[in-house]
Amino acid sequence: MSGTFTFVHAADLHLDAPFRRVDVADPRVRDACVEATFTAFDRIVEICIDRGAAFLVIAGDAYNTAERSFRAQSRFRSAAERLGEAGIRVFLAGGNHDPVTAGNFALQMPDNVHVFSATTVERVDFPSADDPHCALYGRSFGRSRETANLAREFKKGATDPFAIGVLHANVGGDQDYEPYAPCSLEDLRASGMDYWALGHIHKHEVLTSEPPAVYPGSPQGLDPNEAGEHGCVVATVGSSGVTTEFVETAPIAWDRRTVDLSDASSLDDVIAELDSCCASVRAAAGDRPVLLRIDLVGRSEAHAALGGPSVFDELVAEVRADQSSADPWVWIDRVRDLTRPTLDLDRIRAGADFASDLTRLVDEIGPDEAAEVLEEVLAPLRASARGVGLGDIDATSVLERARDACLDRLVAGEGER
Amino acid sequence: MRLARIEATRFGRLHDASLGPLGEGLTLVLGPNEAGKSSFTALVRYLLYGFPTEKSVSDPPYLSDAGTREGRLVFESAEGEWVIERSAGPKGGPSSARAVRGPERPGLIDELTGGVSEQAFKVVFGFGLAEMAEIERLRGTGDDIIGKLYAAGAGLTVSPQEVRAAIESEADALYRPRGSRPLINALLAKGRDVRTAIASLERDAEQLAADRDRLGELAAELESARVERDDAAAHHRMLLEEARTLSGFEEVVRDTEEELLGLRRRAREAAEVVSGTTVDERVLDASAEIGALADELSAFKKGIETARDLETQAGARATEVAMHLAEAGLDEASATAVDVTPETREGVERWREILRTAGQRAETAAEERDRAADAALVVSRQSSASGQAPAPRPAASDIVPWAVVVLAGIASAIAGTVSAQWVLTGIGIVLAAFAAAMLLRLRTGPGRAVPDTLLQAERVTEAERRAQETALAAERLERSLAEARREWDTFRVERGLFAVTDPVAAARVLDLVAQARRVDASRDEAEARLGVEERAIAAYVERVAAVATALGVPAPAGPYETPATVARLKERLDEERRAATDKERAIAEAAAADAAVADTEERRDHAAAQARGIIERLDVSGGLAELSAAVERAERRAAETQERWGELGGEYASLEARVGERERTDTMGKLRFELESVNERIAEHAERYAVLSVATRLLERAQDRYERERQPEVVREAERIFTTITGGGYPRLSVPLGSSPIEVFDAAARAKDTARLSTGTAEQLYLALRLALIGQLGAKGAALPVLMDDVFANFDPERKAGAARAVADLANGRQVVVFTCHPETVAAFEEAATEYTALTLDRC
């Protein structure tokens, strides 16, 4: 190895990917969300330039679909050209979302972009074969559902000063992600690579430090389950080895909070708790806007007030409007009312009236039956929805909330509203 | 509290009609048809709940003849008496509650009706035969009386059925299998719209992909067309260039042939000039000498003039010398003896000064002597009394010198005038004038006086002594002067100034001799130079003569003819030179013409060869004409390919712009995002819908269980009353919640719904349900009277008796007013009740 150099490792850009499972009606917020993946990539480019990176490695899923939308390609090309002007090369491996197949690049990429082969592990000397600082080994997916262990095809050359493996893969069988290009840490170690630039897992993770096998995570979280930090990795290779630094890039943060309304007795209290929650979220996010999900919990006197057919929606809309008009905005994507009435269930359960019968009836319904009932009531809706996902609805929770809804009205007299 | 009296001020047929006093328990009102029984029943309801509008279709308007409606109710208790009054008007009409006796109770109406809706009053408290079936008809509605029975019997403040209806309503607001207004239905529709839009865009994307493919094809076609265009253009340019080249070569051949003719003519002409031109080489060989002679000719001519001038100058100098010598009075020999050295000149000047001084002294002494002699003579004359002695006469020695000077001055003036030396002339005139003046003085000197006797003697003595002394002095000075003159003469002679005695003249002679000598020297120099010039002239003439003789040109007769000879020689030389030049030029011209012929022939041959090469290479045996035709064809082909390329380029640019525009837009991204939003909202509302739907299922199950396991008390009471009325014919009732039919079970446990019951039995069932419900109300509507308007008409006597007993039982705890037009009904109640109030009404 000759000299010290820095490179930036990114993956799973998912350019032009729509945010999933989010409900945004505000055009400003919507536009920011639609633009977020591009903004995150622009920040990676700025990091490359600011840090004087020698090259940028993208370990798969730069695009969101195999077709590679023209807009995504156009923006990618612009960014690559900007990097090219700074003398920074780009090494790109295709992943399951953007396998490298013939004809799926409509736009000609600039000369500083190298796309790794989809048929074999390709080796590239950097900066040149005459005076290599390192050798990059990369392999693109040739199809979306790549099930072969591609990591085993990587092998460091005997004369390589420093070897970087670039691969989109599920290392260790992460159950939350598709098992594409499955491999193990042992496979990675056996290759002899000095650094594994991995992609596929959207959460930043360093699998091992000997050698560094790093998932940078996606630069921008794409759905409510991808809260937390998102960015890229700046790796510096020197005589003492390689050091890595994670740098955040996401322009929009995801957050999920639980608000306990046990002490809330009125709708004003609920609004105050939501405002407080948003303030906390905004402080945690710094200067970034936030997509927020809130679960309201606790046995609360406000539960009954929230149970009305329009009260809850109107209350959430009011808080959402206030928070989304601020700068940076906090968009309350979804608020679930999981509060419970203040009723004494044990006392009701011990009685001999209708409410008691209903409460005991719920007690007798097991999870399976609850699921059956849930599916039974949702069957017409599912039929109407025609394949539209209704989300993960927990049958037991629904059953309990249904019981509470009945008791609210039967015992507290809400049925007359 | 009880209703004591019902007063109809104006209400339908009733006008200032009053019914009362009513009993606390059962009151039996017997009246014929059209006595106002139904009007009083309705009036109570209207006064409590408000008059219906005239447009109401559910209730008769009960308009009075005057078109107004008003009345009042009088309530009594141990604490007082109160009147509720109301007249028809907006929102039920204005009402008031005032105390006739006892404390004011402005909220009396609400106290009386609290918990009992108008519909419930109409169905349960103030009903007639027409309302009997309402209790079942209203099941499942907001006025479901049976549901209220459940609520009351289930220990709830609200009916489970109402709760279920409310929840179902909420669920329906979220989703219904059919319909478009529920939220989820609307979202699903919106999702379909968005998906349709996305599908459209995807189809557009398919079109886009096709366009992309077409774009790629067009790019290939465009490139092919470009290559074809470039090839055609290149072919055209090549042919055009070849045609131009061929044309050029052919033109070269033609031009060179024509040029060769001229060149060959030039060569011949030049050869003729060479052969016809002769040159005298002798002349050219002497060209250097002739050139030199020509160059020196000017100097030669000048030399002649110079010699002539020098000769004249020498003659003038000789004349001048002669003049000077003549002026000096010398001949050449005497002049040669004159020493004109500076020492001589200084000596002459010194002697002139000496002689002058000595002369002056002698003259002064002579004058002194003369004056003294004169004075002595005068004195002597005076002393002799009058013997005046005459003045002595001037001596001849005094006159001669002055006469010589006069002559010398005249001579000098003449000499100066002759020689044009005006200074000498001036000096001569002055000298002559001065000397003449001196001579004149000497002739005209004054006589002296004679002294007186004594004095005169002394004076004479003195004068004589003086005269002697001055005479001696004058004599001595005369001798000195003479001595000086002798010495001057010696000096003068020694220096060759033999004839010149006067130092002034001597000085003049010296000047003249010196001048003559200088002029003579100048003459000698001029003569010397003349000699030189004459020799050069002679030499030049000799050279010219030699060249001329050699070239056959007549030699010059003398210097003055020489320039003409030189000119002739020069002319000859020029002629020969021109001839030589013409010949050389002709030779060169001939050579150049020969070379040009060769070169031109080579160029012609080369052009011809090139032209043949082009014709053979392009296979255009027809030559330039055929090639030009090929060029025109190639030009047309190039234009066609250019046009094709332009068309493809336009199509490509247009398609590329369309594709780029569609692909750059973020519409798809926004639609996908919107679809995600819609789906998320569907999921969110689906969960709420699930909660509400499960809640209705729970309520349904709970009701079912409750109905099976916990028949409400009110239903059991209705069952008991119905059994009483029917005499045990129907021992059990089933009154499910909701809209399921009410069923009765006979003694054999056979179920019948109300549709299968006789009218009377069904009415008995409805009465039983009302009585049971009213009995279960507790504090609700406790002061409200129960008004029954001839509801027993369809009962047989046996069941009428049973019904009367049930009503009488109710009247034990609540005010009941039974209107009837049937005396037997009154009789039945009289039979069943132990206490009652009987009233009668007359037909209105």
Side-chain angles (χ1 to χ4, degrees):
Chain A
M1 182 171 58
S2 56
T4 298
F5 64 95
T6 297
F7 67 92
V8 174
H9 168 200
D12 300 284
L13 308 180
H14 289 278
L15 295 174
D16 209 15
F19 283 4
R20 297 183 297 269
R21 298 178 57 205
V22 62
D23 176 16
V24 174
D26 185 276
R28 181 174 68 131
V29 176
R30 180 201 61 196
D31 291 348
C33 293
V34 171
E35 188 68 14
T37 55
F38 297 116
T39 305
F41 186 40
D42 288 343
R43 290 184 178 175
I44 291 173
V45 170
E46 288 168 8
I47 290 167
C48 288
I49 295 172
D50 291 345
R51 300 297 185 93
F55 53 85
L56 167 65
V57 173
I58 301 175
D61 286 0
Y63 302 99
N64 195 50
T65 60
E67 290 77 15
R68 293 168 165 80
S69 79
F70 182 90
R71 186 164 176 256
Q73 287 187 61
S74 177
R75 296 287 292 267
F76 186 93
R77 183 172 66 176
S78 297
E81 286 171 346
R82 200 173 154 209
L83 289 169
E85 289 169 3
I88 300 171
R89 294 177 65 183
V90 180
F91 296 97
L92 178 68
N96 57 297
H97 279 277
D98 58 348
V100 175
T101 56
N104 58 3
F105 274 108
L107 292 181
Q108 180 68 36
M109 287 296 145
D111 292 340
N112 63 318
V113 176
H114 179 87
V115 181
F116 285 113
S117 168
T119 56
T120 184
V121 174
E122 187 179 6
R123 179 183 185 278
V124 179
D125 285 314
F126 180 86
S128 66
D130 297 336
D131 181 25
H133 292 183
C134 70
L136 290 103
Y137 293 84
R139 167 76 192 267
S140 291
F141 279 25
R143 53 180 178 164
S144 294
R145 300 174 185 276
E146 179 59 71
T147 55
N149 185 337
L150 302 179
R152 289 179 181 167
E153 299 176 14
F154 285 68
K155 191 68 179 175
K156 179 183 179 181
T159 59
D160 291 340
F162 188 86
I164 300 172
V166 185
L167 183 63
H168 197 75
N170 189 333
V171 181
D174 190 323
Q175 296 298 315
D176 292 335
Y177 293 86
E178 299 289 349
Y180 297 140
C183 62
S184 66
L185 276 176
E186 287 308 314
D187 294 328
L188 301 184
R189 290 195 180 99
S191 69
M193 294 290 135
D194 298 304
Y195 181 94
W196 270 103
L198 301 170
H200 190 46
I201 306 300
H202 288 195
K203 186 176 186 302
H204 172 52
E205 191 174 0
V206 179
L207 301 179
T208 173
S209 58
E210 290 296 336
V214 181
Y215 282 114
S218 56
Q220 168 64 56
L222 299 175
D223 65 36
N225 292 330
E226 294 187 358
E229 293 181 331
H230 287 268
C232 61
V233 169
V234 177
T236 301
V237 181
S239 56
S240 59
V242 58
T243 59
T244 61
E245 176 191 1
F246 177 78
V247 182
E248 272 199 277
T249 57
I252 297 174
W254 293 86
D255 205 343
R256 174 174 277 172
R257 296 294 177 101
T258 299
V259 176
D260 190 344
L261 294 181
S262 297
D263 296 332
S265 58
S266 66
L267 295 180
D268 287 339
D269 292 342
V270 175
I271 291 173
E273 289 289 348
L274 288 173
D275 287 343
S276 174
C277 171
C278 289
S280 171
V281 165
R282 186 173 279 111
D287 59 351
R288 287 183 300 166
V290 184
L291 293 168
L292 175 62
R293 285 191 161 190
I294 297 174
D295 285 342
L296 302 177
V297 299
R299 292 193 179 279
S300 172
E301 293 179 9
H303 169 81
L306 290 171
S310 61
V311 171
F312 178 75
D313 290 341
E314 291 172 0
L315 181 146
V316 171
E318 180 182 336
V319 176
R320 177 183 289 138
D322 286 346
Q323 296 297 331
S324 62
S325 62
D327 191 19
W329 48 260
V330 171
W331 178 259
I332 301 175
D333 162 43
R334 175 165 140 178
V335 181
R336 287 198 303 176
D337 179 15
L338 304 180
T339 57
R340 297 290 171 84
T342 53
L343 300 174
D344 184 347
L345 285 179
D346 290 339
R347 187 184 62 78
I348 294 173
R349 195 174 281 116
D353 56 16
F354 187 88
S356 303
D357 284 353
L358 186 141
T359 303
R360 285 194 292 272
L361 178 65
V362 171
D363 292 342
E364 293 165 6
I365 296 175
D368 293 341
E369 188 180 358
E372 288 177 11
V373 172
L374 179 64
E375 285 308 307
E376 189 179 335
V377 300
L378 287 180
L381 177 53
R382 290 194 191 282
S384 299
R386 294 176 188 169
V388 174
L390 301 182
D392 298 328
I393 303 176
D394 182 75
T396 302
S397 171
V398 167
L399 184 64
E400 291 175 352
R401 289 160 64 191
R403 175 199 63 199
D404 294 343
C406 294
L407 294 179
D408 281 342
R409 290 162 174 79
L410 290 168
V411 178
E414 294 296 323
E416 288 186 350
R417 286 176 305 177
Chain B
M1 183 179 290
R2 67 179 176 88
L3 175 62
R5 202 163 51 252
I6 306 170
E7 297 177 352
T9 309
R10 289 182 182 82
F11 189 72
R13 294 172 181 272
L14 301 176
H15 182 75
D16 289 333
S18 176
L19 180 62
L22 304 174
E24 290 185 3
L26 177 63
T27 298
L28 299 172
V29 180
L30 177 62
N33 293 331
E34 299 184 347
K37 300 186 295 296
S38 299
S39 297
F40 276 114
T41 304
L43 180 60
V44 171
R45 175 157 50 92
Y46 293 164
L47 290 173
L48 288 173
Y49 292 96
F51 288 98
T53 62
E54 295 176 13
K55 296 179 180 177
S56 171
V57 294
S58 63
D59 293 296
Y62 292 104
L63 289 174
S64 66
D65 295 340
T68 60
R69 295 171 290 176
E70 62 177 304
R72 62 183 201 167
L73 300 175
V74 179
F75 284 88
E76 288 182 349
S77 78
E79 288 78 25
E81 180 179 338
W82 298 268
V83 174
I84 293 174
E85 296 175 306
R86 188 187 293 266
S87 57
K91 298 183 179 179
S95 64
S96 65
R98 60 183 175 81
V100 176
R101 180 169 54 81
E104 290 292 340
R105 299 177 74 168
L108 180 60
I109 296 177
D110 291 338
E111 290 179 25
L112 293 169
T113 61
V116 178
S117 67
E118 182 185 6
Q119 186 67 18
F121 183 88
K122 180 180 179 180
V123 173
V124 178
F125 287 88
F127 55 93
L129 198 57
E131 286 84 28
M132 285 300 283
E134 288 290 287
I135 198 167
E136 184 168 25
R137 189 181 64 80
L138 293 175
R139 293 181 69 211
T141 70
D143 291 312
D144 184 356
I145 306 305
I146 295 175
K148 296 183 188 303
L149 299 181
Y150 260 104
L156 304 173
T157 58
V158 293
S159 160
Q161 182 58 24
E162 288 178 339
V163 171
R164 182 177 165 187
I167 291 176
E168 283 180 340
S169 176
E170 285 184 43
D172 286 347
L174 288 175
Y175 171 71
R176 283 203 301 269
R178 297 179 186 279
S180 59
R181 297 188 63 179
L183 195 51
I184 292 176
N185 295 57
L187 286 170
L188 287 171
K190 185 174 183 180
R192 284 192 293 273
D193 291 344
V194 174
R195 277 195 296 278
T196 300
I198 290 174
S200 174
L201 282 180
E202 285 174 346
R203 283 194 299 278
D204 191 53
E206 292 173 4
Q207 180 60 45
L208 190 63
D211 285 348
R212 272 192 200 165
D213 293 342
R214 175 61 185 150
L215 202 58
E217 293 171 2
L218 274 176
E221 289 178 26
L222 190 62
E223 177 60 16
S224 174
R226 187 192 64 75
V227 171
E228 192 174 356
R229 178 205 63 180
D230 292 347
D231 289 348
H235 183 62
H236 171 243
R237 284 196 302 274
M238 182 274 290
L239 288 179
L240 189 61
E241 185 63 26
E242 294 284 17
R244 286 175 181 158
T245 305
L246 179 59
S247 175
F249 283 136
E250 291 186 348
E251 188 175 352
V252 167
V253 170
R254 286 193 302 274
D255 292 347
T256 49
E257 289 290 355
E258 188 174 342
E259 191 179 347
L260 281 171
L261 293 174
L263 289 172
R264 288 178 180 130
R265 185 171 56 250
R266 274 178 52 201
R268 282 194 306 275
E269 290 171 355
E272 290 171 359
V273 170
V274 171
S275 60
T277 303
T278 56
V279 178
D280 188 348
E281 295 297 332
R282 294 175 305 160
V283 177
L284 294 178
D285 291 342
S287 63
E289 179 63 12
I290 294 171
L293 292 172
D295 293 342
E296 295 169 10
L297 180 59
S298 177
F300 169 73
K301 290 178 179 176
K302 192 174 179 181
I304 290 176
E305 290 179 3
T306 301
R308 193 159 46 215
D309 291 344
L310 288 173
E311 191 173 4
T312 303
Q313 192 176 353
R317 294 289 185 276
T319 304
E320 188 178 352
V321 169
M323 283 176 62
H324 289 317
L325 293 180
E327 183 181 351
L330 299 175
D331 56 18
E332 285 189 18
S334 300
T336 303
V338 176
D339 181 1
V340 292
T341 61
E343 291 78 14
T344 304
R345 178 169 294 279
E346 289 173 3
V348 169
E349 287 298 323
R350 186 173 65 250
W351 281 110
R352 188 179 65 173
E353 185 63 24
I354 292 172
L355 290 177
R356 187 188 62 85
T357 303
Q360 283 178 346
R361 284 178 181 172
E363 184 178 0
T364 302
E367 288 174 356
E368 198 65 34
R369 181 197 63 199
D370 290 343
R371 275 187 307 266
D374 289 343
L377 182 58
V378 170
V379 169
S380 172
R381 285 176 180 170
Q382 288 173 350
S383 61
S384 55
S386 61
Q388 292 171 346
R393 304 285 300 173
S397 61
D398 292 334
I399 294 172
V400 172
W402 293 109
V404 172
V405 171
V406 169
L407 292 174
I410 292 170
S412 178
I414 292 169
T417 302
V418 171
S419 65
Q421 294 181 357
W422 304 112
V423 175
L424 183 61
T425 303
I427 292 171
I429 292 171
V430 171
L431 190 59
F434 178 72
M438 289 305 294
L439 285 174
L440 184 61
R441 180 171 182 161
L442 287 175
R443 280 181 175 272
T444 62
R448 297 186 182 121
V450 179
D452 53 31
T453 309
L454 186 52
L455 188 51
Q456 284 295 336
E458 288 178 3
R459 285 181 182 175
V460 170
T461 308
E462 182 63 32
E464 288 177 350
R465 190 194 51 84
R466 176 66 182 164
Q468 290 175 344
E469 286 177 358
T470 54
L472 291 174
E475 188 177 6
R476 188 180 59 248
L477 287 174
E478 283 288 349
R479 284 191 303 271
S480 295
L481 178 57
E483 181 64 26
R485 282 177 176 159
R486 282 188 301 272
E487 291 179 4
W488 152 248
D489 288 339
T490 303
F491 175 82
R492 172 176 60 84
V493 171
E494 286 176 355
R495 281 157 181 83
L497 295 172
F498 302 110
V500 183
T501 59
D502 182 55
V504 174
R508 174 59 186 163
V509 169
L510 286 177
D511 289 339
L512 290 171
V513 171
Q515 182 67 20
R517 287 184 180 176
R518 283 196 297 274
V519 173
D520 194 44
S522 174
R523 187 201 61 191
D524 292 343
E525 182 184 355
E527 287 178 346
R529 287 174 56 195
L530 178 61
V532 171
E533 289 294 337
E534 286 174 345
R535 285 191 296 278
I537 288 169
Y540 181 80
V541 172
E542 186 177 353
R543 284 168 58 200
V544 171
V547 173
T549 302
L551 297 181
V553 176
Y560 296 101
E561 290 77 21
T562 301
T565 304
V566 172
R568 176 59 189 148
L569 289 173
K570 183 72 169 61
E571 186 178 343
R572 280 287 307 280
L573 178 60
D574 290 342
E575 289 171 357
E576 295 305 324
R577 277 180 171 169
R578 279 195 296 274
T581 301
D582 290 344
K583 189 171 185 176
E584 288 174 358
R585 187 181 300 120
I587 293 169
E589 178 69 18
D594 291 341
V597 166
D599 180 62
T600 305
E601 286 175 345
E602 184 180 348
R603 284 194 291 123
R604 180 200 60 192
D605 296 343
H606 174 74
Q610 291 292 327
R612 283 194 303 278
I614 291 172
I615 290 169
E616 290 170 1
R617 186 168 67 252
L618 299 179
D619 193 19
V620 283
S621 57
L624 185 59
E626 186 178 347
L627 182 55
S628 297
V631 168
E632 289 179 4
R633 287 195 301 277
E635 185 176 14
R636 284 197 298 276
R637 172 64 178 156
E640 289 169 0
T641 56
Q642 170 69 25
E643 185 178 2
R644 171 64 178 155
W645 180 81
E647 290 172 355
L648 285 172
E651 186 181 355
Y652 180 85
S654 173
L655 186 59
E656 184 183 39
R658 288 205 309 274
V659 168
E661 176 64 24
R662 292 206 304 274
E663 291 186 327
R664 276 189 291 275
T665 181
D666 61 352
T667 304
M668 178 64 94
K670 288 180 178 175
L671 283 174
R672 285 175 177 160
F673 193 78
E674 185 176 0
L675 184 60
E676 287 292 332
S677 294
V678 169
N679 289 343
E680 184 58 21
R681 290 173 67 191
I682 290 173
E684 181 180 352
H685 292 306
E687 186 169 356
R688 291 178 60 190
Y689 172 77
V691 170
L692 294 171
S693 296
V694 170
T696 59
R697 295 298 178 95
L698 291 178
L699 286 169
E700 187 178 334
R701 287 193 186 188
Q703 286 172 8
D704 182 62
R705 173 177 293 186
Y706 194 83
E707 287 166 7
R708 283 187 286 102
E709 299 178 1
R710 300 178 190 277
Q711 186 73 297
E713 181 63 30
V714 66
V715 175
R716 288 202 296 271
E717 179 62 15
E719 189 176 75
R720 186 187 62 77
I721 293 171
F722 186 55
T723 301
T724 300
I725 294 173
T726 59
Y730 295 95
R732 199 167 82 79
L733 283 178
S734 173
V735 187
L737 287 171
S739 58
S740 297
I742 299 172
E743 291 179 322
V744 297
F745 297 88
D746 59 17
R750 290 187 295 256
K752 288 184 181 178
D753 58 25
T754 53
R756 294 170 58 195
L757 295 175
S758 67
T759 301
T761 303
E763 290 173 350
Q764 290 151 20
L765 172 61
Y766 298 145
L767 178 63
L769 289 170
R770 282 180 170 84
L771 296 179
L773 173 62
I774 293 169
Q776 294 293 321
L777 285 179
K780 275 189 174 180
L784 289 176
V786 178
L787 307 171
M788 301 179 186
D789 181 14
D790 230 350
V791 296
F792 310 102
N794 298 318
F795 292 8
D796 61 28
E798 185 178 352
R799 294 192 177 178
K800 187 176 292 183
R805 285 194 296 274
V807 172
D809 286 346
L810 176 65
N812 289 330
R814 179 179 285 270
Q815 185 180 24
V816 177
V817 179
V818 175
F819 294 93
T820 182
C821 62
H822 301 289
E824 62 272 22
T825 301
V826 173
F829 274 94
E830 290 174 345
E831 180 76 19
T834 57
E835 291 184 14
Y836 61 90
T837 300
L839 298 174
T840 59
L841 284 174
D842 294 329
R843 184 173 287 115
C844 299

